[in-house]
Amino acid sequence: VTAMQVGSRIAALFGLTQSPAAAHQFGAGMMILSWSLVEVPRYAFYVSALITGDATKKTPFPLFWLRYSLFAVLYPTGITGELTVFLSAAKDAAFLNLYGEANSTAMYYFIMSFPVIYAPGALPMILNMAANRKKAFKKRFAKPPPPPKGLVFPIDKKGGRSSTPAAKEILAAAIAAVSPEKAQKVLNEKNWRFGYVKHFRSMVEEQMKSPENALKVAEAGLAKAYETFQFIDGDKTTSFADAMAATASNPYKTGFVQGTAPKAKNVLEVPYKGKTLSGQCLKDQVDKWVSYGTIEESAGVAIKNCVDKPGYLDLSDRYFVLLGAGSAMGPFLVLMALGANVIAADLDRPNIWKRLITIAKQSPGTITFPLKVDQSSCATDDELYANAGCNLFTDTPRIRDWILTLHPGKPMAVGSYAYLNGALHVQVSLAMDAICKDLSEKRQASLAYLCTPTDLHVVTQEAHEASVGQYKEYSSKPYCILMKLLGNGRFLRKNAMKPLTGQGGDFYVVNGLSVAQGPNYALAKRMQHWRAVIARSKGSIVSSNIAPATSTVSVVQNRTFAWAYEGMPYFKPYEIFAPETSNAVMSAILFSDLNDTENASNPKVRLNNPNELFKFGSFNGGCWRCAYQVDSIGEASVFIYFGRLAKPYVAGVAVVGSAIGLKLAGYV
């Protein structure tokens, strides 16, 4: 949009100064006046922002209003004026013959190309300003944030609660357990937002040196997180560790709903590209995914186990705690359809509970959920929905205590599925960790996590070798050569890394960390890794498998990610999955992990390093075997997407260009 505005103004000024006809018509004055009336208030707004230090709330409102409102009138008048300049210049012999009569045709097509560009470009430019106005006004009149409550970041040196100092301290403490020198480098990092990746990589390198290192890092990192974060309850502020050591004084009531549907058939069904796959058709598709490299063989075996062993799908006496039950990536729908007993924890919002409870009523399963009042006192369903739910941030000890009392003697599997953006993701991950910790230790609960492909993972040797092969193939493609030249080392970086040597042999690793997702996301997911290896070392079954890139609403609402997802399949063997497909296949791998005693999820299965847990059952969507690191293919994928969209327009431009070329050459 900015390039379009600047380019059009330069062209308009060129036409205005070189064409007497364009300069002496009404549109020229309208254009200059429109530009002036837009720019003078805008730069006055910038000066005010510099003086006040806050462009959103402290600039004088009349100036703020003018900055974000004048475009509605002045953009149309400015565009109209510019168009009259272009059209007048196109008819002016003095302009057309500026570089000689021989070039008059070229000058004509040059100046007339701008009105052609304006046709599709003017409306998006105005709509972009309208969107900016909406955001600015929303931010200016936003209510002040409520006082901190529950689980919060500690106060930093500036008096705020920034995530950066805490994140650095936690990662440094984790690494310090095995390498104080590398830990100091974390604390010394000045550009944490963009420099964090190398420190996470350094941490994994230290973990892979020995099983003891892997556990020391995990234990030290989580211990520091519990010590660093604060918990605010009214006027009382304590460390999160102290808050979780106490017993909640106001326990939740318990809601319970039994579904009315008949007992489920123990059949695994996977929605995929408009079809529902089961039985042999599903096994055939799994084999295709494995053969193409989209998923690892162990993930394929786990899914086919659920087809061949329907007993894995008999969930009538299994209890699943879902932290973030309504999550788009959670298994709630699959569990309900198979008749499982779900203990649901999610925000106290009536619309969430209306959906969850309605689904449960229509299923063969059951749902247990927290209530503020006795269920018997809720006269209507709407009252039930209004009193259901909890807040993982503010009620963490209370939720933990409530779940510990439920369904005594029954086997539990606790899944951490809640997701939030930015620093909130770290907070919710730590809250879920506190609940998982006590349930695994006091109820011998199994733990379940969905790992992201955009992380540092130990991978199989086969995946490593496949990535090397893909790199050889793609490195010779003209498009990839061009992108690497344009990227100056940022685009299309080799995925296959040098193996890490440690106790137990060589370990193959991929660096899937995405700078765009930021250090908070990386830390939130890493804390789940830490808990997974600790709990497994203490005897818990841990299902922690890599899920594929999935087109959930929370992801594709970011237009850049959405565009990249459209172009990624160019890089084999990538595939982006719909949420319903990801839910079904990841649930199947979970069921296999809970039942198959030979899976890596079972603590009795020997691993050379605890972090090898994450290399099995990986439905990674192809990122392990891709030629390039996931963080380096985003721009190339976006260009591929827009290249496809632009094909008809490029063809049209080529036709027009050919016509102009033939005209200039004298063939037409």
Side-chain angles (χ1 to χ4, degrees):
V1 173
T2 301
M4 184 184 296
Q5 288 176 310
V6 174
S8 66
R9 288 192 177 188
I10 292 173
L13 286 172
F14 178 67
L16 187 71
T17 56
Q18 303 300 321
S19 169
H24 293 88
Q25 50 88 31
F26 81 97
M30 183 166 63
M31 177 184 76
I32 297 299
L33 185 62
S34 298
W35 288 0
S36 300
L37 291 176
V38 164
E39 298 302 336
V40 171
R42 180 164 68 155
Y43 282 97
F45 171 83
Y46 291 155
V47 171
S48 177
L50 289 173
I51 294 172
T52 62
D54 186 345
T56 303
K57 294 183 178 292
K58 293 183 180 180
T59 50
F61 181 72
L63 200 56
F64 178 87
W65 188 90
L66 289 171
R67 165 70 180 92
Y68 288 106
S69 303
L70 284 176
F71 78 92
V73 174
L74 297 179
Y75 269 33
T77 57
I79 290 170
T80 302
E82 290 169 27
L83 288 173
T84 64
V85 169
F86 296 140
L87 295 173
S88 297
K91 298 176 183 178
D92 186 356
F95 177 80
L96 297 178
N97 296 324
L98 184 64
Y99 297 107
E101 291 186 13
N103 294 313
S104 61
T105 301
M107 290 293 288
Y108 174 80
Y109 282 112
F110 164 72
I111 203 66
M112 284 301 294
S113 67
F114 289 94
V116 173
I117 294 172
Y118 272 45
L123 183 59
M125 189 163 58
I126 294 172
L127 291 177
N128 179 66
M129 275 303 301
N132 290 343
R133 183 182 192 275
K134 183 178 180 180
K135 290 178 183 177
F137 272 75
K138 182 178 180 181
K139 191 173 180 180
R140 184 175 181 105
F141 295 106
K143 295 180 180 178
K149 182 181 179 183
L151 178 60
V152 296
F153 281 90
I155 297 175
D156 57 32
K157 294 179 180 179
K158 297 180 180 179
R161 294 186 183 273
S162 170
S163 62
T164 296
K168 291 173 68 174
E169 288 178 12
I170 292 168
L171 188 63
I175 299 175
V178 293
S179 177
E181 180 181 349
K182 288 186 175 181
Q184 190 59 47
K185 291 181 180 179
V186 175
L187 297 175
N188 293 340
E189 177 63 56
K190 301 297 184 184
N191 186 17
W192 180 246
R193 174 61 184 85
F194 296 100
Y196 71 94
V197 172
K198 60 180 175 287
H199 300 295
F200 276 83
R201 178 173 174 175
S202 178
M203 175 196 64
V204 172
E205 290 172 353
E206 290 299 321
Q207 282 190 295
M208 299 313 299
K209 289 181 178 179
S210 71
E212 294 76 18
N213 272 20
L215 291 173
K216 284 179 180 179
V217 166
E219 290 166 349
L222 285 175
K224 184 64 175 179
Y226 279 72
E227 172 192 323
T228 300
F229 274 80
Q230 297 177 336
F231 194 85
I232 301 175
D233 185 5
D235 296 330
K236 184 180 179 182
T237 300
T238 65
S239 70
F240 187 52
D242 289 342
M244 293 309 299
T247 301
S249 58
N250 50 342
Y252 280 109
K253 308 294 183 181
T254 299
F256 180 81
V257 170
Q258 171 73 58
T260 57
K263 187 178 185 300
K265 297 179 180 179
N266 298 335
V267 176
L268 177 63
E269 296 181 331
V270 176
Y272 182 63
K273 294 186 176 180
K275 298 180 180 180
T276 300
L277 306 180
S278 62
Q280 190 59 45
C281 290
L282 175 57
K283 292 171 69 175
D284 291 343
Q285 180 57 55
V286 168
D287 288 338
K288 290 178 183 177
W289 284 328
V290 172
S291 176
Y292 191 60
T294 304
I295 72 175
E296 298 307 307
E297 184 177 6
S298 54
V301 170
I303 296 169
K304 290 193 287 186
N305 274 346
C306 292
V307 177
D308 296 334
K309 301 175 182 179
Y312 283 12
L313 305 181
D314 182 0
L315 308 180
S316 57
D317 197 38
R318 282 196 175 273
Y319 291 76
F320 294 84
V321 179
L322 304 187
L323 304 176
S327 168
M329 284 296 290
F332 181 76
L333 291 175
V334 177
L335 294 174
M336 287 287 94
L338 291 171
N341 304 285
V342 170
I343 300 163
D346 213 317
L347 288 170
D348 47 353
R349 296 177 182 171
N351 61 309
I352 292 177
W353 291 99
K354 181 178 181 179
R355 172 180 173 268
L356 296 178
I357 293 173
T358 300
I359 292 170
K361 285 181 176 179
Q362 298 170 355
S363 79
T366 72
I367 184 171
T368 304
F369 51 97
L371 280 171
K372 299 180 181 70
V373 299
D374 287 323
Q375 187 170 355
S376 58
S377 68
C378 298
T380 65
D381 284 344
D382 286 340
E383 285 187 34
L384 186 65
Y385 307 147
N387 284 286
C390 56
N391 189 312
L392 285 165
F393 291 103
T394 59
D395 300 331
T396 321
R398 195 176 170 200
I399 296 168
R400 183 269 319 272
D401 291 349
W402 170 70
I403 297 174
L404 281 171
T405 66
L406 298 175
H407 309 294
K410 296 295 184 180
M412 278 186 177
V414 188
S416 298
Y417 301 108
Y419 170 81
L420 292 168
N421 289 324
L424 292 175
H425 194 198
V426 180
Q427 291 168 257
V428 78
S429 289
L430 186 58
M432 291 189 295
D433 181 77
I435 296 169
C436 290
K437 174 182 181 295
D438 283 349
L439 288 175
S440 65
E441 293 176 358
K442 298 177 181 180
R443 286 286 300 264
Q444 291 73 53
S446 304
L447 301 185
Y449 299 100
L450 290 179
C451 298
T452 174
T454 52
D455 205 338
L456 274 156
H457 291 296
V458 179
V459 304
T460 61
Q461 183 176 351
E462 293 78 12
H464 172 84
E465 292 172 350
S467 177
V468 171
Q470 293 283 7
Y471 185 78
K472 290 180 181 177
E473 176 184 345
Y474 276 82
S475 292
S476 62
K477 292 180 180 288
Y479 177 67
C480 295
I481 294 172
L482 175 62
M483 288 302 299
K484 291 192 76 170
L485 289 173
L486 293 174
N488 192 28
R490 293 188 301 113
F491 301 162
L492 305 187
R493 297 189 302 273
K494 188 175 181 180
N495 198 23
M497 296 168 58
K498 183 180 178 181
L500 302 178
T501 300
Q503 186 178 321
D506 288 341
F507 299 97
Y508 298 90
V509 180
V510 294
N511 179 9
L513 285 170
S514 173
V515 173
Q517 290 180 315
N520 288 320
Y521 184 82
L523 179 60
K525 301 306 290 186
R526 185 54 49 174
M527 289 195 298
Q528 294 181 356
H529 278 222
W530 289 341
R531 179 58 59 196
V533 298
I534 291 171
R536 188 180 183 277
S537 74
K538 294 182 177 181
S540 290
I541 291 175
V542 178
S543 175
S544 190
N545 305 299
I546 288 82
T550 304
S551 54
T552 59
V553 173
S554 64
V555 172
V556 298
Q557 69 182 2
N558 183 315
R559 288 185 297 176
T560 304
F561 283 153
W563 297 333
Y565 273 14
E566 291 291 335
M568 275 186 179
Y570 169 81
F571 298 100
K572 297 178 182 178
Y574 261 105
E575 182 172 348
I576 308 301
F577 288 86
E580 58 270 19
T581 304
S582 294
N583 287 343
V585 296
M586 297 312 297
S587 296
I589 299 172
L590 167 62
F591 302 150
S592 180
D593 283 343
L594 295 176
N595 287 279
D596 191 342
T597 57
E598 296 182 2
N599 278 6
S601 57
N602 190 321
K604 295 180 181 179
V605 173
R606 183 183 176 278
L607 302 176
N608 289 326
N609 187 284
N611 279 356
E612 283 194 305
L613 170 65
F614 310 105
K615 83 175 186 181
F616 297 103
S618 174
F619 200 110
N620 56 73
C623 71
W624 284 9
R625 295 171 182 248
C626 179
Y628 305 111
Q629 291 181 11
V630 64
D631 193 41
S632 70
I633 65 172
E635 294 84 356
S637 299
V638 170
F639 288 145
I640 289 169
Y641 167 67
F642 280 107
R644 291 171 184 162
L645 292 182
K647 273 186 179 179
Y649 302 102
V650 172
V653 170
V655 171
V656 173
S658 299
I660 294 173
L662 291 172
K663 178 75 173 178
L664 294 174
Y667 292 106
V668 178

